[in-house]
Every structure is written in C-alpha cells, then in structure tokens.
Amino acid sequence: MKKTKKILTTVVTILIIFAAVFLVWANQSYKPNFNVEDFIKSNDRVTIQIDKNIVINPKDKKVEKGFIFYPGGKVDPKAYIPIASKISEEGYRVVITPMPLNLAIFNKNKADNVIKENRDIKVWAIGGHSLGGVMAADYAFNHTDNIKGLILLASYPQDKNNFTGKNIKTLSLWGSEDKVAKLDKVKSAKNILPSDAVFYEIKGGNHGQFGSYGKQKGDGEAKITEEEQQKISAEYIVKLLDKINK
C-alpha cells in the first residue's frame, strides 16, 4: 500500500513538473517587432479592432468576403497585423484568432465563433501560418459548406485530410530559405490537395517573415525583406480571395 502511494506521488510530481515546464515554454511567445498602437494609428486604409479577436476591415469599401487566420505556434497574433492589413485593404475582412497558449491545436474550431459573430460575411476562406495552417486545414476539411478557400503559409494538411475530392480553392506559399517548416511535407501536399491548388515558393523568403516578429529560432536567413515577403504573399492571397464564391 505504501509502495503504491509512493509511486502515485512520484507520478503526480512528475506530471506537475512537466505541466509547469510546458506552460513556461508555451508562454515564451514571439512578440511583434513593431509598435502595434503606432501601426494602428498610422494606417489610413483599414480599421483595426483588437478584442477577443483581431478584426481588420478596409475603409471605404464594401466587404462581402472574409478571411480567418490562425497564427503560427507560439506567435503573438498581433504579429500578423501588417500582412493582414495588406490583404484587408483590398476589400476583405480579416479576422486573426488568438489561441490558448498561442497554440492553435488547443482550439482548432475557433472559426465557428468567428463565422457566427460575422453574419454579414457570406463567403469565407481560412488559413494560417505553420501550426496555424495545419489546424486551419483541419477545420476547412470538415466545413466546406462554409469555407470556400484554404491558404497555407509554410504549412500543409495532415495526411488524414485528403482534399482531392473537395471543391475548395487552395493556395500554398513557402519561403526558399525556410529552415523551420518541413518543406518536403509542404511540397508533397500536392498529393492531398485539389488539382487546381496553387503552390508557390517565395524566393529568398524564410519562415518567420510571414509574420512580423523577427527571426524565429532555427530559421534560415532571408534574402528579401519582411516587407517584400509579405507583399508577395498578400498579392497571392488576394488573388485567391477574388476567386472564391458562395
């Protein structure tokens, strides 16, 4: 009896230590490398509201389509405001969804609430960066009634999610200097994505420059600027959003 109690105490102690270490690791997120308040004040082409989600709308344009964005793992969602703003100013609502512990795996269905709270938007695309893209793809696979576009930034669907028979416009972008993502899986995703999916390698881009949070640990050195990488990405994303219909 004493031996069993000792074993249980040891197991509980190990679990508590593991949980504490995990929480410390998860909370060490990548922060925006720009002043968020100054960016919002200086941007005269979009409105940016930060609440439970980050909602970005174009000024002086009628919005009919929306793009739900899941952040990369351990990245502060505000770090994606610059690229999201570039997309939004072309006439789209972009909703960046904060995740528990900055890990989309803990709330892959966050898009449910976004869609419910934005009933004026009738056509939706979803996407994400890195881990966020994996979870966005999982959501899209199970919600093609609402989701008409899928955008993957340095990301790919899980093997179980075979989109070849799905009617969903798809875009996959990655940087040639990315040393974080498994680029073999990013590229081989052609086998489980629709035949008309667009795959494009951004020459000189890396993993972290899809967001604005500085260099990510283990990433390659980019040969183009963050601004250039996000400009190219936004152009491709807007082209996809232009094509999706209800």
Side-chain angles (χ1 to χ4, degrees), residues 66-138:
F67 174 35
I68 302 166
F69 187 86
Y70 285 5
K74 296 179 67 180
V75 181
D76 187 314
K78 292 188 290 293
Y80 296 98
I81 288 177
I83 188 171
S85 296
K86 291 180 188 297
I87 298 163
S88 180
E89 66 186 34
E90 297 302 322
Y92 301 99
R93 181 172 301 162
V94 182
V95 183
I96 306 169
T97 58
M99 293 294 182
L101 299 176
N102 289 314
L103 295 169
I105 194 169
F106 290 128
N107 197 350
K108 66 181 181 180
N109 293 320
K110 189 75 177 283
D112 282 343
N113 287 334
V114 175
I115 293 171
K116 288 177 183 176
E117 293 168 1
N118 293 268
R119 295 189 182 277
D120 57 320
I121 301 296
K122 304 303 181 185
V123 183
W124 287 100
I126 193 171
H129 178 216
S130 197
L131 175 64
V134 177
M135 295 297 101
D138 190 83

